[in-house]
Amino acid sequence: MPETSKNHTISFDPNPTQKDIDFFFRKISSEAETVADFPKNHNMIGFFIRDNEGNIAGGVIGEIAWQWLYILYAWLREDLRNQGYGTLLMEKAESEAIKQGCGNSYLQTFDTQAPGFYKKLGYEVYGTLDDIPPGHTRLYMKKKLI
């Protein structure tokens, strides 16, 4: 296949803009609506811990679709770890997901991050991908919420 044609070119972008990423999301979502009953309640949720200046000190961001909660990001500043904040954030995200009709949750993490934390919350490994990053394992975890 040629890299250019009369009407099209293939270009490399080492850092796609959010606008371009959103374009793909909208296109894929639109097509999914027709073949996979893409949910009308597809939305993002977030719970945050902020310091006195309003700076984020931790939080959980999730995506709700098809009655599942996908934990996209979970992070807590190091000085706040092991004090119950992470558990509280996850519980709040899961509770909100249940209110919005979710029965399950899933996430991905690395063996170097917090798999033990997620296991304590009831998540179980359902898949792994070895050597990503090299020498480590990516873990795919899920939890039944109700």
Side-chain angles (χ1 to χ4, degrees), residues 120-134:
K120 280 196 257 181
L121 295 176
Y123 285 81
E124 62 183 55
V125 175
Y126 68 88
T128 61
L129 188 58
D130 295 328
D131 218 27
I132 181 169

Side-chain angles (χ1 to χ4, degrees), residues 6 16 28-29 71 75 78 92 113 117 128 136:
K6 184 176 174 182
I28 291 168
S29 297
I71 300 294
W75 173 80
E78 197 166 336
K92 287 188 174 294
Q113 290 179 318
F117 168 72
T128 61
H136 296 280

Side-chain angles (χ1 to χ4, degrees), residues 28-42:
I28 291 168
S29 297
S30 175
E31 291 176 12
E33 283 183 41
T34 62
V35 296
D37 193 28
F38 197 75
K40 303 296 183 229
N41 71 334
H42 178 265

Side-chain angles (χ1 to χ4, degrees), residues 48-58 77 79-80:
F48 304 96
I49 295 175
R50 297 181 186 271
D51 64 19
N52 292 334
E53 288 81 45
N55 301 309
I56 294 175
R77 202 171 61 200
D79 64 312
L80 297 177

